[in-house]
Amino acid sequence: MKGHTALFYFSGHGFLTRDRADRYEAYLAMTGSQVKPKGKVCLPQNEEHISLDELGALFLKSHCNQLIVWLDCCHSGAMMEASFLQEALARSTHDGCDYSLMTACRNFENAYEGGPEDSYTVFTGNLVQALEREVDPRGAVSSGVLYDSVFRALKGSGQEPRGMNLGRPINLVTYPGRIQVSPEAPAVGKAMGISGIGENPYRGLEAFQEADAALFFGRDTAIGNLIRRLLTNRFLAVVGSSGSGKSSLVKAGLIPKLKREDAIPGSPAWVFLTVRPAEQPASVLLEELGAIDAALDQLVVIDQFEEIFTVWDGTARSSLLALINDWLAEAGGVRLVITMRAEFLDLCHDSAIVELINQSRNLYIVQPLTAVEIEAAIVKPALRQGATVEVGLASAILTQVLDQPGILPLLQYTLQQLWGACIEPGNSDDLRSVEDHRWQLRLADYQALGGVTGSLNARAEGLFQQLSVEAQQLLPRIFVEALVQSGEGAAESPLFMRQSASWGELGRLGELGAVHGALDPFVEARLLVSGDRVEVAHEAILTKWERLYGWLMASREPLRLRKKLAVEYHDWVQYGRSEVDMLQGALLEGGVGEGEFGELAGGAAGVCGGESGAARSVGAAGGGAGAEVAEVSGGED
């Protein structure tokens, strides 16, 4: 049957047997099957039955491109046992097979018949209703939507369905007469009062969230791989370069799959918690995590795990690692997933977490999207929202992004801008007639944006040029001193990281109104994220906006010197301000190069040779990149 779609529907009786090792096995009863009840199990009296294990093996041998299985009988949830799921996941991952399985109840439950007036059983009745009711705007009913509907209808009834969808969603039925939004329907859009087009489906520089799952395309294989690992492991590190889509894969891919389907037996009933270290004080997060009941089945996701090394101090970091060790050392129900930039893996080398990451089954390296996956990420969100993509656009984008590491945020940002140019009200200068116009993402508009590689730089540079002279002078200081942290990468490929700052902290760099004047245009353009704190929307901005990258590169050495002097000053104060320990002569020359004093803070002058000319030069240099050292020294005097 290879290359075909198959639907297997069974409605009848199911029963359990138990062997001498007290292991249960579920069976479908065929016509003529005879069993003898014995407590909660049955003793078969003939061979007119088939075990669900055998049935699962037959399904896997079929090699169908698409397989749909609906079982309406008692104990049918036994089909969702881990051994079958693992093999199905492997087939889905390696052979591209798509599976949609749904059972009427859990493995320990009965499936009930309907009332005297009902034409169907409880499960089948809800199944039929969902097939008639759950029609999307394209007039189709998909496998995932069908399961969601039936599960919601029967949850808490004593007969809870179980389901699993692997691979791509399967369109089960299409009603041509019920299409609400036709990609081919002529329209000029909301600007002319014609409805039917959805909101912008592209996330720009922001990660996809759980609520965006319906617009998250191109990662079916990766999601299957994550689930397969979590079937047998309670820890999983999802690692990739900046811009590889780690956070989106977990938040919009893995979590919705576990919540809405029985991807892992019982996963819809788990407790889910997603946190990020930099979003709240370490003490608050540690208290929240410490209150977790490790006996409950739950999934804890720590997004951007590298922040425990770049933001937290050693004490808080050790406390978290000890807590993780406690979770995983016990035979509890906590599963832990972390996402982490690959560049920071070396920071783990002397921590307990490295032993977990080094186990191959615990580590998933996020791979770049294939050409087919990129095309899905481009085209399918537009189609879902009622738009089309001009022939040739996807191919043009592919030539720029295929096999390019860290390109996904730029791709999403460009598509977000392209949607705005082509679709959103007031952004189209097209004067064609209603009959000739289409809601369409167009190649010409994509080229006008500068393509994927030029769109972000063009947008940021345009905003910068519109700032006042005062704001242009203030902006470099805000980015360099407050919003970006410089790592220890190689000189030719330095490591820059985002860091957030409160408005109060930013107000120390300039009058708050001036700070808002410099930053607000970038917040409105979604290049910065603003709330109580301000943060760069994505690391891609740090390298793809050429002007900002130039600022950061020019500031690397002054920042390195500032940090060095801060450490030297702290040690000097701690050990009694000894004159012997001042930087003088060759040590001073090695620590601070000629012409660099202007970048350093006056407060660190004491450590740089007391009353020497060099020290006086440093002492005369106020503010600038040395403000942090000035505060440190001032606090000690």
Side-chain angles (χ1 to χ4, degrees):
M1 295 180 65
K2 188 172 180 61
H4 291 75
T5 296
L7 168 63
F8 180 92
Y9 169 74
F10 176 88
S11 181
H13 294 288
F15 62 90
L16 290 177
T17 64
R18 184 169 57 189
D19 61 19
R20 293 180 179 178
D22 208 30
R23 293 175 298 196
Y24 288 93
E25 187 170 6
Y27 290 83
L28 303 183
M30 305 289 105
T31 302
S33 177
Q34 296 179 9
V35 296
K36 180 180 180 180
K38 185 179 180 180
K40 294 182 179 180
V41 299
C42 293
L43 302 177
Q45 302 300 300
N46 58 21
E47 300 298 323
E48 299 298 319
H49 50 263
I50 181 172
S51 77
L52 292 187
D53 286 343
E54 292 178 76
L55 187 63
L58 291 174
F59 288 152
L60 294 171
K61 288 180 181 179
S62 66
H63 293 288
C64 294
N65 277 7
Q66 294 182 320
L67 176 64
I68 304 151
V69 178
W70 298 330
L71 299 181
D72 186 1
C73 63
C74 299
H75 313 296
S76 51
M79 174 61 71
M80 301 300 175
E81 293 303 320
S83 57
F84 173 73
L85 289 182
Q86 288 177 342
E87 183 62 26
L89 277 165
R91 292 289 176 86
S92 177
T93 301
H94 299 301
D95 299 339
C97 301
D98 304 323
Y99 293 91
S100 178
L101 288 82
M102 184 158 40
T103 66
C105 59
R106 291 176 282 190
N107 61 345
F108 56 87
E109 291 177 329
N110 293 323
Y112 298 103
E113 298 182 1
E117 305 298 323
D118 295 328
S119 302
Y120 305 106
T121 65
V122 172
F123 172 76
T124 297
N126 281 278
L127 185 70
V128 171
Q129 290 178 21
L131 285 169
E132 296 174 345
R133 182 180 62 237
E134 301 294 340
V135 182
D136 66 20
R138 296 168 298 161
V141 180
S142 68
S143 52
V145 172
L146 181 74
Y147 172 72
D148 285 347
S149 178
V150 178
F151 179 79
R152 287 195 305 269
L154 295 180
K155 182 174 175 59
S157 67
Q159 172 186 337
E160 291 192 6
R162 285 292 173 257
M164 175 185 71
N165 289 290
L166 298 174
R168 295 154 295 191
I170 300 174
N171 280 341
L172 301 168
V173 62
T174 301
Y175 300 94
R178 298 173 67 179
I179 296 176
Q180 301 172 26
V181 178
S182 171
E184 301 302 323
V188 292
K190 293 179 181 177
M192 297 185 65
I194 299 176
S195 62
I197 197 74
E199 299 295 328
N200 193 325
Y202 303 106
R203 299 299 91 186
L205 296 172
E206 301 174 3
F208 281 81
Q209 303 298 321
E210 184 182 339
D212 304 317
L215 300 171
F216 186 63
F217 293 97
R219 283 297 196 187
D220 294 332
T221 298
I223 294 169
N225 285 334
L226 295 184
I227 292 173
R228 185 167 55 182
R229 281 168 168 76
L230 281 177
L231 275 167
T232 54
N233 298 273
R234 293 171 53 210
F235 172 81
L236 180 59
V238 181
V239 176
S241 62
S242 175
S244 61
K246 307 174 296 298
S247 296
S248 297
L249 174 60
V250 172
K251 292 179 180 178
L254 175 65
I255 292 176
K257 191 81 169 178
L258 292 171
K259 278 189 174 183
R260 298 174 188 174
E261 304 171 18
D262 233 10
I264 295 177
S267 61
W270 291 358
V271 176
F272 292 82
L273 175 65
T274 300
V275 298
R276 177 183 162 189
E279 287 187 341
Q280 54 188 313
S283 59
V284 175
L285 181 54
L286 286 170
E287 183 177 356
E288 180 181 7
L289 296 176
I292 288 176
D293 184 352
L296 296 178
D297 286 328
Q298 53 196 299
L299 180 71
V300 177
V301 175
I302 303 180
D303 189 30
Q304 300 189 39
F305 190 76
E306 67 272 7
E307 290 176 345
I308 75 166
F309 298 98
T310 62
V311 178
W312 287 13
D313 61 28
T315 301
R317 182 164 57 250
S318 297
S319 297
L320 176 62
L321 295 176
L323 182 59
I324 290 173
N325 185 67
D326 290 343
W327 285 343
L328 301 178
E330 299 174 3
V334 176
R335 287 176 170 84
L336 174 65
V337 174
I338 66 172
T339 69
M340 188 174 185
R341 284 175 60 180
E343 302 96 304
F344 290 90
L345 276 175
D346 61 337
L347 297 179
C348 301
H349 73 279
D350 60 349
S351 67
I353 201 78
V354 72
E355 296 182 9
L356 292 170
I357 294 177
N358 279 339
Q359 298 177 37
S360 61
R361 294 290 302 175
N362 290 345
L363 177 64
Y364 182 78
I365 305 295
V366 179
Q367 300 296 319
L369 294 180
T370 65
V372 172
E373 291 170 334
I374 292 173
E375 185 173 8
I378 296 169
V379 175
K380 288 187 176 181
L383 294 178
R384 186 175 184 87
Q385 300 300 80
T388 59
V389 175
E390 183 180 5
V391 175
L393 174 60
S395 298
I397 295 175
L398 273 170
T399 61
Q400 287 197 317
V401 304
L402 188 61
D403 296 326
Q404 295 298 313
I407 201 71
L408 294 183
L410 295 181
L411 172 63
Q412 283 290 318
Y413 181 79
T414 303
L415 291 170
Q416 185 185 64
Q417 298 298 305
L418 183 60
W419 181 279
C422 297
I423 306 295
E424 290 178 352
N427 290 339
S428 177
D429 297 326
D430 199 329
L431 300 179
R432 290 177 290 178
S433 68
V434 172
E435 288 74 18
D436 292 335
H437 191 87
R438 299 288 184 269
W439 286 117
Q440 188 174 70
L441 302 183
R442 296 183 292 272
L443 179 59
D445 293 279
Y446 168 74
Q447 293 169 336
L449 287 172
V452 171
T453 55
S455 60
L456 190 150
N457 181 67
R459 178 66 168 144
E461 189 62 23
L463 293 171
F464 178 81
Q465 295 299 338
Q466 294 172 17
L467 296 177
S468 66
V469 173
E470 293 76 13
Q472 288 183 349
Q473 293 173 343
L474 178 59
L475 195 64
R477 188 177 179 194
I478 293 174
F479 273 105
V480 169
E481 295 193 28
L483 299 182
V484 182
Q485 181 180 359
S486 179
E488 298 297 328
E492 65 277 7
S493 57
L495 191 61
F496 297 117
M497 298 155 284
R498 298 176 297 163
Q499 63 181 13
S500 65
S502 68
W503 287 105
E505 292 166 340
L506 294 174
R508 300 192 189 113
L509 303 178
E511 192 271 324
L512 196 55
V515 172
H516 272 285
L519 296 185
D520 284 354
F522 292 87
V523 173
E524 293 172 8
R526 299 183 181 179
L527 298 180
L528 295 177
V529 179
S530 172
D532 294 335
R533 303 182 69 82
V534 180
E535 185 178 31
V536 176
H538 196 276
E539 286 91 353
I541 298 173
L542 308 184
T543 55
K544 298 306 180 182
W545 181 16
E546 295 172 1
R547 181 181 296 273
L548 173 57
Y549 187 65
W551 294 338
L552 297 177
M553 289 295 290
S555 71
R556 278 196 91 211
E557 189 60 20
L559 287 175
R560 184 189 68 80
L561 291 169
R562 183 179 73 180
K563 292 179 180 178
K564 181 175 181 179
L565 280 181
V567 173
E568 296 282 0
Y569 180 78
H570 178 272
D571 291 345
W572 181 60
V573 170
Q574 184 177 1
Y575 292 105
R577 300 172 181 260
S578 168
E579 189 169 327
V580 175
D581 292 327
M582 288 185 185
L583 294 181
Q584 302 183 53
L587 289 175
L588 178 58
E589 292 173 6
V592 185
E594 184 178 353
E596 292 169 334
F597 295 108
E599 303 290 346
L600 303 175
V607 74
C608 293
E611 296 301 317
S612 69
R616 286 193 296 273
S617 296
V618 176
E628 180 180 305
V629 179
E631 292 175 8
V632 171
S633 61
E636 294 287 341
D637 288 339

